[in-house]
């Protein structure tokens, strides 16, 4: 840095030269020193507002003086402290006050280094093709929810990798934030309830359920799109088409016997720790279902109808802005997939098959999902 020549002894305008009369080297040193203090002042005044009040109070009284303060600011300032101020605003978002997408930037990469990885306190455990992805994407709008993007499959396929492997998959969270993951196969995994209970007896479980018949068809359609050589839906559904005996061992059918799977979970979790989200209502009334989920998780209702719009062409609700992107995120992304034409007789037979299980499920949950 160049210091412009200033008036010095001997020059015509030398009279009140004061500090500026120092030799250039010392002048530079002094300038640097002044800048250091200015920076320190700005840093302190600017950033300390977001520090924990305790730190703020201790700072100026520190007997070790500025050096101690500097050490505090540079070393002892725990990154964790900063976003503690990031409490949700006391009022629900105003109109047009949508959450900003959390795009990676210098600030967010700083935040990402903050907090710690925790085992999930809440899990979306099912069901496949129920709308679990949409629910998770909608929930990620909430500032107090941090969720793994991919499906960890820890409690079914990766349990032998241990809890530290599992924890390392989790995003960092700050105090008060909820860590979540979703793996839809947990709901039908025999060992999952005991294993999740061993991790956290108080874990909150969310199950997105949908009419088991449409779920089965959607499940089959997805498999068919990956493996076009599989037998027809009818062939897989029946053990014997003539007698109408249904093959309950076929996963597409088996997953929809919700009452049976739920019994397994109730051996380990009380009903009030399990929330059932209607996959149908998630489409017709996303903000209503999201309201129930936020209540269940003990969170403020931040996600409201203002976050959604309905795409009439698609026939599905979309998030105005999805978390981490500026593009809308819609339910029913794969709606374009052509469903195979399924014999209405087969559909009727399946409805009959599921009816008693559905009624049992309504009784157990105290909620009529209206599939019959
Ligand atoms: C479906 O089953 C029928 C008899 O039940 C059989 O003739 C036919 O080959 C099967 N089709 C496929 C694709 O498996
Ligand atoms: C289906 O059931 C009918 C009537 O019981 C029986 O005659 C037939 O052999 C069965 N078919 C198969 C493939 O099991
Ligand atoms: C609605 O969905 C259609 C069909 O997927 C798409 O082409 C269109 O861009 C969407 N519109 C909005 C506003 O999301």
């Amino acid at each position: 840095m160049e210091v412009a020549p200033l008036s010095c002894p001997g020059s015509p305008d030398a009279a009140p030269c004061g500090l500026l009369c120092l030799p250039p080297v010392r002048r530079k040193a002094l300038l640097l020193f002044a800048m250091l203090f200015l920076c320190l002042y700005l840093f302190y005044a600017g950033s300390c507002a977001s520090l924990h009040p305790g730190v703020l109070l201790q700072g100026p009284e520190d007997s070790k003086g500025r050096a101690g303060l500097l050490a505090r600011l540079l070393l002892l300032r725990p990154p964790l402290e900063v976003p503690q101020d990031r409490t949700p605003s006391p009022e629900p978002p105003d109109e047009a006050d949508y959450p900003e997408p959390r795009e990676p930037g210098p600030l967010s990469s700083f935040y990402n280094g903050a907090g710690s990885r925790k085992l999930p306190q809440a899990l979306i455990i099912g069901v496949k093709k129920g709308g679990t992805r949409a629910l998770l994407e909608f929930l990620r709008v909430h500032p107090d929810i941090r969720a793994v993007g991919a499906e960890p499959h820890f409690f079914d396929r990766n349990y032998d990798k241990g809890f530290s492997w599992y924890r390392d998959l989790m995003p960092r969270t700050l105090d008060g934030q909820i860590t979540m993951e979703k793996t839809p196969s947990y709901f039908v995994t025999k060992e999952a309830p005991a294993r999740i209970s061993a991790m956290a007896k108080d874990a909150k479980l969310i199950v997105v359920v949908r009419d088991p018949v449409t779920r089965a068809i959607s499940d089959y359609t997805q498999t068919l799109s990956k493996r076009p050589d599989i037998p027809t839906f009818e062939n897989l559904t029946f053990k014997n088409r003539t007698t109408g005996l249904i093959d309950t061992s076929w996963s597409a059918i088996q997953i929809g016997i919700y009452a049976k799977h739920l019994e397994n979970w109730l051996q380990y979790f009380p009903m009030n720790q399990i929330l059932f989200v209607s996959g149908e209502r998630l489409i017709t009334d996303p903000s209503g279902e999201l309201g129930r989920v936020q209540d269940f998780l003990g969170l403020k209702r931040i996600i409201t109808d203002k976050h959604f719009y309905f795409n009439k062409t698609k026939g599905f609700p979309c998030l105005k802005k999805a978390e981490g992107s500026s593009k809308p995120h819609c339910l029913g992304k794969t709606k374009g997939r052509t469903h195979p034409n399924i014999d209405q007789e087969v559909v009727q037979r399946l409805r009959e098959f599921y009816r008693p299980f559905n009624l049992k499920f309504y009784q157990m949950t105290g909620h009529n999902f209206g599939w019959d």
Side-chain angles (χ1 to χ4, degrees):
M1 187 193 305
E2 271 311 307
V3 179
L6 290 161
S7 53
C8 282
S11 69
D13 49 355
C17 73
L19 282 173
L20 300 175
C21 306
L22 294 168
V25 177
R26 289 182 64 184
R27 224 161 53 205
K28 272 189 185 176
L30 192 74
L31 194 66
L32 277 173
F33 220 67
M35 282 178 61
L36 177 68
F37 277 112
L38 183 66
C39 292
L40 186 60
Y41 172 77
L42 289 175
F43 185 57
Y44 182 69
S47 325
C48 287
S50 60
L51 279 177
H52 191 276
V55 177
L56 187 61
L57 284 177
Q58 282 170 26
E61 291 163 11
D62 194 325
S63 57
K64 280 175 250 141
R66 290 210 166 105
L69 178 61
L70 187 64
R72 222 169 248 284
L73 289 171
L74 297 182
L75 303 170
L76 302 179
R77 180 188 190 187
L80 245 179
E81 303 278 329
V82 177
Q84 273 190 357
D85 270 6
R86 228 171 48 93
T87 46
S89 64
E91 293 300 317
D94 289 322
E95 263 172 62
D97 187 10
Y98 316 125
E100 287 301 312
R102 286 174 237 168
E103 268 151 1
L107 199 63
S108 88
S109 52
F110 171 73
Y111 280 142
N112 287 346
S116 57
R117 302 183 199 281
K118 297 180 191 75
L119 292 170
Q121 295 100 350
L123 300 95
I124 298 174
I125 58 172
V127 300
K128 188 184 177 192
K129 304 310 290 175
T132 56
R133 171 55 59 190
L135 177 63
L136 190 71
E137 294 309 313
F138 293 169
L139 278 174
R140 285 158 85 103
V141 168
H142 203 293
D144 295 336
I145 292 177
R146 300 298 318 278
V148 200
E151 295 175 6
H153 280 280
F154 177 65
F155 295 104
D156 56 344
R157 297 182 203 155
N158 295 310
Y159 197 62
D160 58 343
K161 296 205 165 100
F163 281 106
S164 62
W165 175 87
Y166 187 43
R167 189 189 286 108
D168 284 346
L169 296 180
M170 300 299 151
R172 293 177 183 276
T173 49
L174 308 162
D175 283 351
Q177 284 184 319
I178 295 176
T179 304
M180 287 191 76
E181 71 119 312
K182 78 115 178 168
T183 305
S185 51
Y186 291 163
F187 189 60
V188 297
T189 299
K190 196 150 191 336
E191 302 82 7
R195 289 172 174 180
I196 294 179
S197 171
M199 171 186 73
K201 270 167 74 91
D202 60 350
K204 290 183 178 176
L205 311 173
I206 298 171
V207 194
V208 187
V209 286
R210 182 181 171 195
D211 180 346
V213 179
T214 51
R215 198 220 67 81
I217 296 169
S218 176
D219 195 339
Y220 172 78
T221 307
Q222 184 179 42
T223 311
L224 189 67
S225 72
K226 290 177 196 153
R227 295 167 47 204
D229 55 334
I230 57 168
T232 63
F233 184 82
E234 289 82 349
N235 271 35
L236 292 165
T237 299
F238 295 106
K239 270 188 170 149
N240 184 327
R241 178 78 201 254
T242 321
T243 58
L245 186 66
I246 282 171
D247 185 358
T248 55
S249 69
W250 182 31
S251 69
I253 303 285
Q254 217 246 342
I255 290 170
I257 311 174
Y258 303 140
K260 197 192 114 228
H261 303 296
L262 180 54
E263 271 169 8
N264 192 23
W265 287 89
L266 292 176
Q267 307 286 309
Y268 294 89
F269 290 93
M271 203 63 188
N272 64 9
Q273 264 170 257
I274 312 176
L275 181 75
F276 295 90
V277 171
S278 159
E280 285 85 11
R281 288 190 66 85
L282 203 54
I283 294 170
T284 58
D285 179 21
S287 54
E289 285 303 282
L290 265 291
R292 292 178 62 231
V293 177
Q294 291 169 94
D295 291 351
F296 173 69
L297 294 174
L299 297 175
K300 212 178 136 50
R301 284 194 176 203
I302 286 179
I303 309 165
T304 66
D305 53 1
K306 297 184 186 78
H307 291 87
F308 299 98
Y309 70 92
F310 198 82
N311 184 325
K312 288 206 184 87
T313 327
K314 253 186 146 72
F316 284 100
C318 309
L319 265 188
K320 280 173 182 158
K321 272 179 179 179
E323 197 268 343
S325 93
S326 49
K327 284 193 201 135
H329 190 97
C330 304
L331 240 173
K333 244 195 317 207
T334 53
K335 209 210 169 191
R337 221 178 246 159
T338 47
H339 275 225
N341 275 331
I342 289 159
D343 191 344
Q344 278 310 300
E345 203 184 302
V346 175
V347 173
Q348 267 323 108
R349 176 70 194 95
L350 270 180
R351 296 221 164 278
E352 278 167 36
F353 166 78
Y354 278 120
R355 188 166 298 118
F357 296 113
N358 288 347
L359 294 178
K360 175 95 183 289
F361 184 64
Y362 300 166
Q363 275 172 13
M364 292 170 88
T365 60
H367 190 104
N368 183 342
F369 289 88
W371 299 319
D372 298 281

